[in-house]
PDB file of all heavy atoms in Angstrom:
ATOM      1  N   LEU O 205       1.215   0.490  -1.174  1.00  0.00           N
ATOM      2  CA  LEU O 205       2.248  -0.184  -1.948  1.00  0.00           C
ATOM      3  C   LEU O 205       3.231  -0.833  -0.976  1.00  0.00           C
ATOM      4  O   LEU O 205       3.747  -0.172  -0.070  1.00  0.00           O
ATOM      5  CB  LEU O 205       2.947   0.837  -2.835  1.00  0.00           C
ATOM      6  CG  LEU O 205       3.910   0.357  -3.909  1.00  0.00           C
ATOM      7  CD1 LEU O 205       3.217  -0.545  -4.932  1.00  0.00           C
ATOM      8  CD2 LEU O 205       4.548   1.555  -4.605  1.00  0.00           C
ATOM      9  N   VAL O 206       3.501  -2.116  -1.164  1.00  0.00           N
ATOM     10  CA  VAL O 206       4.329  -2.881  -0.217  1.00  0.00           C
ATOM     11  C   VAL O 206       5.599  -3.368  -0.894  1.00  0.00           C
ATOM     12  O   VAL O 206       5.572  -3.900  -2.006  1.00  0.00           O
ATOM     13  CB  VAL O 206       3.530  -4.087   0.335  1.00  0.00           C
ATOM     14  CG1 VAL O 206       4.429  -5.021   1.126  1.00  0.00           C
ATOM     15  CG2 VAL O 206       2.387  -3.595   1.200  1.00  0.00           C
ATOM     16  N   ASP O 207       6.742  -3.185  -0.224  1.00  0.00           N
ATOM     17  CA  ASP O 207       8.025  -3.708  -0.681  1.00  0.00           C
ATOM     18  C   ASP O 207       8.823  -4.134   0.537  1.00  0.00           C
ATOM     19  O   ASP O 207       8.459  -3.830   1.678  1.00  0.00           O
ATOM     20  CB  ASP O 207       8.772  -2.638  -1.482  1.00  0.00           C
ATOM     21  CG  ASP O 207       9.761  -3.236  -2.484  1.00  0.00           C
ATOM     22  OD1 ASP O 207       9.891  -4.472  -2.535  1.00  0.00           O
ATOM     23  OD2 ASP O 207      10.410  -2.464  -3.212  1.00  0.00           O
ATOM     24  N   ASP O 208       9.928  -4.853   0.296  1.00  0.00           N
ATOM     25  CA  ASP O 208      10.719  -5.318   1.437  1.00  0.00           C
ATOM     26  C   ASP O 208      11.662  -4.237   1.957  1.00  0.00           C
ATOM     27  O   ASP O 208      11.723  -3.989   3.154  1.00  0.00           O
ATOM     28  CB  ASP O 208      11.481  -6.609   1.093  1.00  0.00           C
ATOM     29  CG  ASP O 208      12.356  -6.475  -0.138  1.00  0.00           C
ATOM     30  OD1 ASP O 208      12.245  -5.476  -0.872  1.00  0.00           O
ATOM     31  OD2 ASP O 208      13.166  -7.400  -0.389  1.00  0.00           O
ATOM     32  N   VAL O 209      12.418  -3.572   1.059  1.00  0.00           N
ATOM     33  CA  VAL O 209      13.402  -2.578   1.484  1.00  0.00           C
ATOM     34  C   VAL O 209      13.258  -1.310   0.648  1.00  0.00           C
ATOM     35  O   VAL O 209      13.147  -1.368  -0.576  1.00  0.00           O
ATOM     36  CB  VAL O 209      14.839  -3.114   1.352  1.00  0.00           C
ATOM     37  CG1 VAL O 209      15.858  -2.049   1.795  1.00  0.00           C
ATOM     38  CG2 VAL O 209      15.029  -4.383   2.177  1.00  0.00           C
ATOM     39  N   LEU O 210      13.280  -0.166   1.310  1.00  0.00           N
ATOM     40  CA  LEU O 210      13.301   1.132   0.641  1.00  0.00           C
ATOM     41  C   LEU O 210      14.726   1.661   0.677  1.00  0.00           C
ATOM     42  O   LEU O 210      15.307   1.796   1.759  1.00  0.00           O
ATOM     43  CB  LEU O 210      12.358   2.111   1.343  1.00  0.00           C
ATOM     44  CG  LEU O 210      12.281   3.520   0.752  1.00  0.00           C
ATOM     45  CD1 LEU O 210      11.496   3.503  -0.554  1.00  0.00           C
ATOM     46  CD2 LEU O 210      11.646   4.496   1.734  1.00  0.00           C
ATOM     47  N   THR O 211      15.289   1.945  -0.492  1.00  0.00           N
ATOM     48  CA  THR O 211      16.651   2.490  -0.547  1.00  0.00           C
ATOM     49  C   THR O 211      16.575   3.966  -0.923  1.00  0.00           C
ATOM     50  O   THR O 211      16.511   4.829  -0.064  1.00  0.00           O
ATOM     51  CB  THR O 211      17.515   1.698  -1.543  1.00  0.00           C
ATOM     52  OG1 THR O 211      17.463   0.311  -1.197  1.00  0.00           O
ATOM     53  CG2 THR O 211      18.973   2.142  -1.473  1.00  0.00           C
ATOM     54  N   THR O 212      16.534   4.280  -2.197  1.00  0.00           N
ATOM     55  CA  THR O 212      16.360   5.675  -2.617  1.00  0.00           C
ATOM     56  C   THR O 212      14.905   6.005  -2.899  1.00  0.00           C
ATOM     57  O   THR O 212      14.553   7.177  -3.031  1.00  0.00           O
ATOM     58  CB  THR O 212      17.176   5.964  -3.884  1.00  0.00           C
ATOM     59  OG1 THR O 212      16.659   5.161  -4.965  1.00  0.00           O
ATOM     60  CG2 THR O 212      18.645   5.637  -3.670  1.00  0.00           C
ATOM     61  N   GLY O 213      14.069   5.004  -3.028  1.00  0.00           N
ATOM     62  CA  GLY O 213      12.662   5.224  -3.352  1.00  0.00           C
ATOM     63  C   GLY O 213      12.368   5.248  -4.837  1.00  0.00           C
ATOM     64  O   GLY O 213      11.239   5.516  -5.246  1.00  0.00           O
ATOM     65  N   ALA O 214      13.363   4.933  -5.680  1.00  0.00           N
ATOM     66  CA  ALA O 214      13.164   4.988  -7.130  1.00  0.00           C
ATOM     67  C   ALA O 214      12.098   4.006  -7.590  1.00  0.00           C
ATOM     68  O   ALA O 214      11.242   4.341  -8.425  1.00  0.00           O
ATOM     69  CB  ALA O 214      14.483   4.714  -7.849  1.00  0.00           C
ATOM     70  N   THR O 215      12.116   2.796  -7.059  1.00  0.00           N
ATOM     71  CA  THR O 215      11.158   1.774  -7.494  1.00  0.00           C
ATOM     72  C   THR O 215       9.733   2.137  -7.095  1.00  0.00           C
ATOM     73  O   THR O 215       8.807   2.071  -7.911  1.00  0.00           O
ATOM     74  CB  THR O 215      11.546   0.403  -6.920  1.00  0.00           C
ATOM     75  OG1 THR O 215      12.833   0.028  -7.412  1.00  0.00           O
ATOM     76  CG2 THR O 215      10.531  -0.656  -7.323  1.00  0.00           C
ATOM     77  N   VAL O 216       9.532   2.528  -5.830  1.00  0.00           N
ATOM     78  CA  VAL O 216       8.177   2.864  -5.396  1.00  0.00           C
ATOM     79  C   VAL O 216       7.691   4.149  -6.070  1.00  0.00           C
ATOM     80  O   VAL O 216       6.487   4.315  -6.290  1.00  0.00           O
ATOM     81  CB  VAL O 216       8.077   2.966  -3.855  1.00  0.00           C
ATOM     82  CG1 VAL O 216       8.328   1.613  -3.211  1.00  0.00           C
ATOM     83  CG2 VAL O 216       9.009   4.019  -3.293  1.00  0.00           C
ATOM     84  N   THR O 217       8.614   5.047  -6.423  1.00  0.00           N
ATOM     85  CA  THR O 217       8.226   6.256  -7.149  1.00  0.00           C
ATOM     86  C   THR O 217       7.693   5.896  -8.535  1.00  0.00           C
ATOM     87  O   THR O 217       6.664   6.434  -8.983  1.00  0.00           O
ATOM     88  CB  THR O 217       9.417   7.218  -7.276  1.00  0.00           C
ATOM     89  OG1 THR O 217       9.778   7.688  -5.973  1.00  0.00           O
ATOM     90  CG2 THR O 217       9.078   8.414  -8.163  1.00  0.00           C
ATOM     91  N   ALA O 218       8.388   4.984  -9.223  1.00  0.00           N
ATOM     92  CA  ALA O 218       7.932   4.546 -10.543  1.00  0.00           C
ATOM     93  C   ALA O 218       6.572   3.862 -10.450  1.00  0.00           C
ATOM     94  O   ALA O 218       5.691   4.085 -11.293  1.00  0.00           O
ATOM     95  CB  ALA O 218       8.967   3.616 -11.168  1.00  0.00           C
ATOM     96  N   CYS O 219       6.386   3.023  -9.444  1.00  0.00           N
ATOM     97  CA  CYS O 219       5.098   2.346  -9.256  1.00  0.00           C
ATOM     98  C   CYS O 219       3.998   3.346  -8.909  1.00  0.00           C
ATOM     99  O   CYS O 219       2.854   3.234  -9.393  1.00  0.00           O
ATOM    100  CB  CYS O 219       5.208   1.305  -8.152  1.00  0.00           C
ATOM    101  SG  CYS O 219       6.239  -0.118  -8.552  1.00  0.00           S
ATOM    102  N   THR O 220       4.326   4.332  -8.081  1.00  0.00           N
ATOM    103  CA  THR O 220       3.348   5.341  -7.693  1.00  0.00           C
ATOM    104  C   THR O 220       2.827   6.095  -8.905  1.00  0.00           C
ATOM    105  O   THR O 220       1.630   6.382  -9.018  1.00  0.00           O
ATOM    106  CB  THR O 220       3.971   6.330  -6.690  1.00  0.00           C
ATOM    107  OG1 THR O 220       4.296   5.641  -5.481  1.00  0.00           O
ATOM    108  CG2 THR O 220       3.015   7.466  -6.364  1.00  0.00           C
ATOM    109  N   GLY O 221       3.721   6.407  -9.837  1.00  0.00           N
ATOM    110  CA  GLY O 221       3.317   7.147 -11.025  1.00  0.00           C
ATOM    111  C   GLY O 221       2.257   6.433 -11.832  1.00  0.00           C
ATOM    112  O   GLY O 221       1.255   7.044 -12.260  1.00  0.00           O
ATOM    113  N   VAL O 222       2.420   5.138 -12.051  1.00  0.00           N
ATOM    114  CA  VAL O 222       1.434   4.416 -12.871  1.00  0.00           C
ATOM    115  C   VAL O 222       0.137   4.195 -12.088  1.00  0.00           C
ATOM    116  O   VAL O 222      -0.949   4.184 -12.679  1.00  0.00           O
ATOM    117  CB  VAL O 222       2.009   3.079 -13.398  1.00  0.00           C
ATOM    118  CG1 VAL O 222       3.198   3.338 -14.309  1.00  0.00           C
ATOM    119  CG2 VAL O 222       2.388   2.142 -12.273  1.00  0.00           C
ATOM    120  N   LEU O 223       0.231   4.034 -10.775  1.00  0.00           N
ATOM    121  CA  LEU O 223      -0.984   3.893  -9.972  1.00  0.00           C
ATOM    122  C   LEU O 223      -1.776   5.198  -9.963  1.00  0.00           C
ATOM    123  O   LEU O 223      -3.015   5.196 -10.040  1.00  0.00           O
ATOM    124  CB  LEU O 223      -0.631   3.491  -8.540  1.00  0.00           C
ATOM    125  CG  LEU O 223      -0.123   2.064  -8.336  1.00  0.00           C
ATOM    126  CD1 LEU O 223       0.447   1.890  -6.934  1.00  0.00           C
ATOM    127  CD2 LEU O 223      -1.244   1.052  -8.576  1.00  0.00           C
ATOM    128  N   ARG O 224      -1.064   6.308  -9.910  1.00  0.00           N
ATOM    129  CA  ARG O 224      -1.724   7.609  -9.920  1.00  0.00           C
ATOM    130  C   ARG O 224      -2.438   7.833 -11.260  1.00  0.00           C
ATOM    131  O   ARG O 224      -3.586   8.297 -11.305  1.00  0.00           O
ATOM    132  CB  ARG O 224      -0.684   8.701  -9.679  1.00  0.00           C
ATOM    133  CG  ARG O 224      -1.237  10.063  -9.340  1.00  0.00           C
ATOM    134  CD  ARG O 224      -1.559  10.219  -7.881  1.00  0.00           C
ATOM    135  NE  ARG O 224      -0.386  10.315  -7.040  1.00  0.00           N
ATOM    136  CZ  ARG O 224      -0.425  10.390  -5.709  1.00  0.00           C
ATOM    137  NH1 ARG O 224      -1.588  10.369  -5.077  1.00  0.00           N
ATOM    138  NH2 ARG O 224       0.676  10.476  -4.999  1.00  0.00           N
ATOM    139  N   LYS O 225      -1.773   7.489 -12.355  1.00  0.00           N
ATOM    140  CA  LYS O 225      -2.377   7.646 -13.680  1.00  0.00           C
ATOM    141  C   LYS O 225      -3.609   6.755 -13.847  1.00  0.00           C
ATOM    142  O   LYS O 225      -4.529   7.082 -14.596  1.00  0.00           O
ATOM    143  CB  LYS O 225      -1.354   7.322 -14.764  1.00  0.00           C
ATOM    144  CG  LYS O 225      -0.281   8.378 -14.940  1.00  0.00           C
ATOM    145  CD  LYS O 225       0.693   7.988 -16.045  1.00  0.00           C
ATOM    146  CE  LYS O 225       1.777   9.044 -16.212  1.00  0.00           C
ATOM    147  NZ  LYS O 225       2.772   8.670 -17.261  1.00  0.00           N
ATOM    148  N   ALA O 226      -3.622   5.627 -13.136  1.00  0.00           N
ATOM    149  CA  ALA O 226      -4.752   4.703 -13.231  1.00  0.00           C
ATOM    150  C   ALA O 226      -5.928   5.132 -12.367  1.00  0.00           C
ATOM    151  O   ALA O 226      -6.965   4.463 -12.373  1.00  0.00           O
ATOM    152  CB  ALA O 226      -4.313   3.298 -12.846  1.00  0.00           C
ATOM    153  N   GLY O 227      -5.768   6.227 -11.597  1.00  0.00           N
ATOM    154  CA  GLY O 227      -6.903   6.774 -10.874  1.00  0.00           C
ATOM    155  C   GLY O 227      -6.861   6.686  -9.360  1.00  0.00           C
ATOM    156  O   GLY O 227      -7.797   7.146  -8.697  1.00  0.00           O
TER     157      GLY O 227
END
Side-chain angles (χ1 to χ4, degrees):
L205 190 61
V206 170
D207 206 358
D208 55 349
V209 180
L210 180 74
T211 306
T212 64
T215 298
V216 295
T217 294
C219 291
T220 295
V222 297
L223 289 169
R224 194 84 72 184
K225 287 180 180 178

